[in-house]
Tab-separated table of all heavy atoms in Angstrom:
chain	number	residue	atom	x	y	z
H	1	MET	N	0.802	-1.232	0.004
H	1	MET	CA	0.011	0.015	0.013
H	1	MET	C	0.829	1.289	0.001
H	1	MET	O	0.373	2.308	-0.481
H	1	MET	CB	-0.971	0.021	1.203
H	1	MET	CG	-0.320	0.040	2.546
H	1	MET	SD	-1.552	-0.152	3.868
H	1	MET	CE	-0.491	-0.196	5.314
H	2	GLN	N	2.067	1.237	0.526
H	2	GLN	CA	2.867	2.453	0.532
H	2	GLN	C	3.347	2.810	-0.837
H	2	GLN	O	3.683	3.992	-1.119
H	2	GLN	CB	4.052	2.304	1.499
H	2	GLN	CG	3.626	2.261	2.973
H	2	GLN	CD	4.782	2.222	3.919
H	2	GLN	OE1	5.916	2.555	3.557
H	2	GLN	NE2	4.540	1.794	5.158
H	3	SER	N	3.368	1.869	-1.748
H	3	SER	CA	3.888	2.142	-3.122
H	3	SER	C	2.748	2.420	-4.120
H	3	SER	O	3.029	2.783	-5.253
H	3	SER	CB	4.726	0.957	-3.583
H	3	SER	OG	3.961	-0.245	-3.655
H	4	ILE	N	1.518	2.185	-3.752
H	4	ILE	CA	0.416	2.423	-4.693
H	4	ILE	C	0.285	3.891	-5.030
H	4	ILE	O	0.500	4.772	-4.192
H	4	ILE	CB	-0.937	1.877	-4.131
H	4	ILE	CG1	-2.004	1.895	-5.250
H	4	ILE	CG2	-1.390	2.676	-2.945
H	4	ILE	CD1	-3.262	1.218	-4.865
H	5	SER	N	0.002	4.192	-6.322
H	5	SER	CA	-0.096	5.577	-6.757
H	5	SER	C	-1.544	5.992	-6.840
H	5	SER	O	-2.473	5.156	-6.751
H	5	SER	CB	0.544	5.717	-8.159
H	5	SER	OG	-0.241	5.010	-9.120
H	6	ARG	N	-1.769	7.300	-7.005
H	6	ARG	CA	-3.134	7.831	-7.102
H	6	ARG	C	-3.799	7.298	-8.358
H	6	ARG	O	-4.998	7.008	-8.394
H	6	ARG	CB	-3.106	9.332	-7.141
H	6	ARG	CG	-2.615	9.974	-5.825
H	6	ARG	CD	-2.680	11.475	-5.879
H	6	ARG	NE	-4.059	11.971	-5.838
H	6	ARG	CZ	-4.374	13.246	-6.130
H	6	ARG	NH1	-3.460	14.130	-6.469
H	6	ARG	NH2	-5.619	13.614	-6.047
H	7	ASP	N	-3.018	7.114	-9.465
H	7	ASP	CA	-3.594	6.586	-10.678
H	7	ASP	C	-4.036	5.154	-10.489
H	7	ASP	O	-5.096	4.742	-10.982
H	7	ASP	CB	-2.557	6.690	-11.832
H	7	ASP	CG	-2.338	8.105	-12.283
H	7	ASP	OD1	-3.200	8.975	-12.016
H	7	ASP	OD2	-1.286	8.362	-12.928
H	8	GLU	N	-3.220	4.387	-9.769
H	8	GLU	CA	-3.600	2.994	-9.508
H	8	GLU	C	-4.813	2.880	-8.631
H	8	GLU	O	-5.700	2.068	-8.820
H	8	GLU	CB	-2.430	2.253	-8.857
H	8	GLU	CG	-1.263	1.986	-9.803
H	8	GLU	CD	-0.012	1.490	-9.113
H	8	GLU	OE1	0.253	1.937	-7.956
H	8	GLU	OE2	0.681	0.641	-9.666
H	9	MET	N	-4.919	3.834	-7.663
H	9	MET	CA	-6.114	3.868	-6.847
H	9	MET	C	-7.334	4.178	-7.704
H	9	MET	O	-8.401	3.638	-7.498
H	9	MET	CB	-5.952	4.901	-5.739
H	9	MET	CG	-7.209	5.131	-4.910
H	9	MET	SD	-6.986	6.365	-3.603
H	9	MET	CE	-8.676	6.651	-3.075
H	10	GLY	N	-7.165	5.098	-8.665
H	10	GLY	CA	-8.287	5.489	-9.503
H	10	GLY	C	-8.845	4.337	-10.316
H	10	GLY	O	-10.002	4.314	-10.668
H	11	ALA	N	-8.014	3.327	-10.656
H	11	ALA	CA	-8.438	2.181	-11.396
H	11	ALA	C	-9.218	1.187	-10.587
H	11	ALA	O	-9.903	0.306	-11.131
H	11	ALA	CB	-7.217	1.492	-12.020
H	12	CYS	N	-9.171	1.303	-9.260
H	12	CYS	CA	-9.873	0.345	-8.401
H	12	CYS	C	-11.380	0.630	-8.389
H	12	CYS	O	-11.795	1.779	-8.404
H	12	CYS	CB	-9.350	0.409	-6.963
H	12	CYS	SG	-7.612	-0.073	-6.795
H	13	PRO	N	-12.205	-0.418	-8.355
H	13	PRO	CA	-13.630	-0.211	-8.248
H	13	PRO	C	-14.024	0.307	-6.887
H	13	PRO	O	-13.277	0.190	-5.910
H	13	PRO	CB	-14.195	-1.610	-8.472
H	13	PRO	CG	-13.143	-2.511	-7.965
H	13	PRO	CD	-11.839	-1.854	-8.305
H	14	SER	N	-15.212	0.920	-6.776
H	14	SER	CA	-15.678	1.433	-5.484
H	14	SER	C	-16.195	0.327	-4.594
H	14	SER	O	-15.990	0.330	-3.382
H	14	SER	CB	-16.773	2.485	-5.717
H	14	SER	OG	-16.256	3.585	-6.393
H	15	VAL	N	-16.881	-0.641	-5.181
H	15	VAL	CA	-17.427	-1.741	-4.390
H	15	VAL	C	-17.122	-3.055	-5.103
H	15	VAL	O	-16.920	-3.095	-6.313
H	15	VAL	CB	-18.966	-1.612	-4.168
H	15	VAL	CG1	-19.269	-0.404	-3.333
H	15	VAL	CG2	-19.684	-1.533	-5.498
H	16	GLY	N	-17.139	-4.141	-4.357
H	16	GLY	CA	-16.921	-5.437	-4.900
H	16	GLY	C	-18.141	-6.014	-5.618
H	16	GLY	O	-19.241	-5.486	-5.506
H	17	THR	N	-17.931	-7.083	-6.321
H	17	THR	CA	-18.987	-7.812	-7.037
H	17	THR	C	-19.494	-8.921	-6.123
H	17	THR	O	-18.720	-9.600	-5.477
H	17	THR	CB	-18.446	-8.410	-8.325
H	17	THR	OG1	-17.977	-7.377	-9.198
H	17	THR	CG2	-19.491	-9.251	-9.052
H	18	SER	N	-20.796	-9.093	-6.099
H	18	SER	CA	-21.355	-10.187	-5.299
H	18	SER	C	-21.025	-11.534	-5.969
H	18	SER	O	-21.243	-11.721	-7.179
H	18	SER	CB	-22.858	-10.032	-5.180
H	18	SER	OG	-23.407	-11.146	-4.485
H	19	LEU	N	-20.532	-12.453	-5.170
H	19	LEU	CA	-20.155	-13.797	-5.659
H	19	LEU	C	-21.259	-14.805	-5.426
H	19	LEU	O	-21.178	-15.962	-5.867
H	19	LEU	CB	-18.858	-14.258	-4.971
H	19	LEU	CG	-17.653	-13.343	-5.129
H	19	LEU	CD1	-16.477	-13.957	-4.342
H	19	LEU	CD2	-17.260	-13.126	-6.579
H	20	LYS	N	-22.273	-14.419	-4.699
H	20	LYS	CA	-23.352	-15.364	-4.366
H	20	LYS	C	-24.104	-15.771	-5.639
H	20	LYS	O	-24.475	-14.936	-6.440
H	20	LYS	CB	-24.272	-14.734	-3.330
H	20	LYS	CG	-23.779	-14.863	-1.891
H	20	LYS	CD	-24.937	-14.760	-0.915
H	20	LYS	CE	-24.493	-15.282	0.464
H	20	LYS	NZ	-25.602	-15.293	1.406
H	21	THR	N	-24.389	-17.053	-5.700
H	21	THR	CA	-25.042	-17.600	-6.873
H	21	THR	C	-25.671	-18.958	-6.529
H	21	THR	O	-25.356	-19.529	-5.483
H	21	THR	CB	-24.032	-17.771	-8.032
H	21	THR	OG1	-24.706	-18.264	-9.179
H	21	THR	CG2	-22.926	-18.747	-7.623
H	22	ASP	N	-26.546	-19.469	-7.371
H	22	ASP	CA	-27.132	-20.786	-7.165
H	22	ASP	C	-26.219	-21.913	-7.582
H	22	ASP	O	-26.185	-23.004	-7.001
H	22	ASP	CB	-28.463	-20.907	-7.963
H	22	ASP	CG	-29.519	-19.972	-7.406
H	22	ASP	OD1	-29.462	-19.652	-6.201
H	22	ASP	OD2	-30.385	-19.551	-8.197
H	23	ARG	N	-25.401	-21.645	-8.633
H	23	ARG	CA	-24.497	-22.674	-9.144
H	23	ARG	C	-23.166	-21.991	-9.509
H	23	ARG	O	-23.144	-20.818	-9.906
H	23	ARG	CB	-25.081	-23.369	-10.342
H	23	ARG	CG	-26.429	-24.000	-10.143
H	23	ARG	CD	-26.941	-24.714	-11.407
H	23	ARG	NE	-26.139	-25.845	-11.793
H	23	ARG	CZ	-26.289	-27.069	-11.267
H	23	ARG	NH1	-27.208	-27.314	-10.352
H	23	ARG	NH2	-25.495	-28.081	-11.665
H	24	VAL	N	-22.077	-22.729	-9.396
H	24	VAL	CA	-20.789	-22.222	-9.766
H	24	VAL	C	-20.135	-23.170	-10.783
H	24	VAL	O	-20.426	-24.341	-10.840
H	24	VAL	CB	-19.792	-22.062	-8.574
H	24	VAL	CG1	-20.371	-21.033	-7.596
H	24	VAL	CG2	-19.587	-23.391	-7.889
H	25	ALA	N	-19.189	-22.570	-11.539
H	25	ALA	CA	-18.360	-23.359	-12.433
H	25	ALA	C	-16.981	-23.520	-11.759
H	25	ALA	O	-16.576	-22.627	-10.992
H	25	ALA	CB	-18.218	-22.685	-13.798
H	26	ALA	N	-16.327	-24.573	-12.017
H	26	ALA	CA	-14.964	-24.808	-11.475
H	26	ALA	C	-14.095	-23.616	-11.870
H	26	ALA	O	-14.065	-23.206	-13.028
H	26	ALA	CB	-14.396	-26.105	-11.974
H	27	GLY	N	-13.344	-23.074	-10.896
H	27	GLY	CA	-12.490	-21.952	-11.178
H	27	GLY	C	-13.088	-20.607	-10.781
H	27	GLY	O	-12.380	-19.599	-10.757
H	28	ASP	N	-14.382	-20.584	-10.549
H	28	ASP	CA	-15.037	-19.332	-10.145
H	28	ASP	C	-14.615	-18.930	-8.732
H	28	ASP	O	-14.526	-19.785	-7.823
H	28	ASP	CB	-16.535	-19.470	-10.154
H	28	ASP	CG	-17.152	-19.411	-11.554
H	28	ASP	OD1	-16.395	-19.124	-12.489
H	28	ASP	OD2	-18.352	-19.685	-11.683
H	29	PRO	N	-14.399	-17.637	-8.479
H	29	PRO	CA	-14.223	-17.146	-7.105
H	29	PRO	C	-15.491	-17.328	-6.332
H	29	PRO	O	-16.588	-17.057	-6.864
H	29	PRO	CB	-13.816	-15.690	-7.269
H	29	PRO	CG	-14.405	-15.287	-8.585
H	29	PRO	CD	-14.382	-16.507	-9.438
């Protein structure tokens, strides 16, 4: 975190994606 730049921060999303689902495929987070 001490090396992250403002530009790199700008590329980050504001919120995460929901991983909840009824079924998953192998390899899915």
Side-chain angles (χ1 to χ4, degrees):
M1 64 186 177
Q2 290 185 19
S3 61
I4 190 172
S5 68
R6 295 182 72 192
D7 289 340
E8 289 171 323
M9 174 179 169
C12 296
S14 295
V15 295
T17 298
S18 175
L19 304 178
K20 277 203 164 184
T21 181
D22 294 332
R23 303 180 67 83
V24 297
D28 282 352

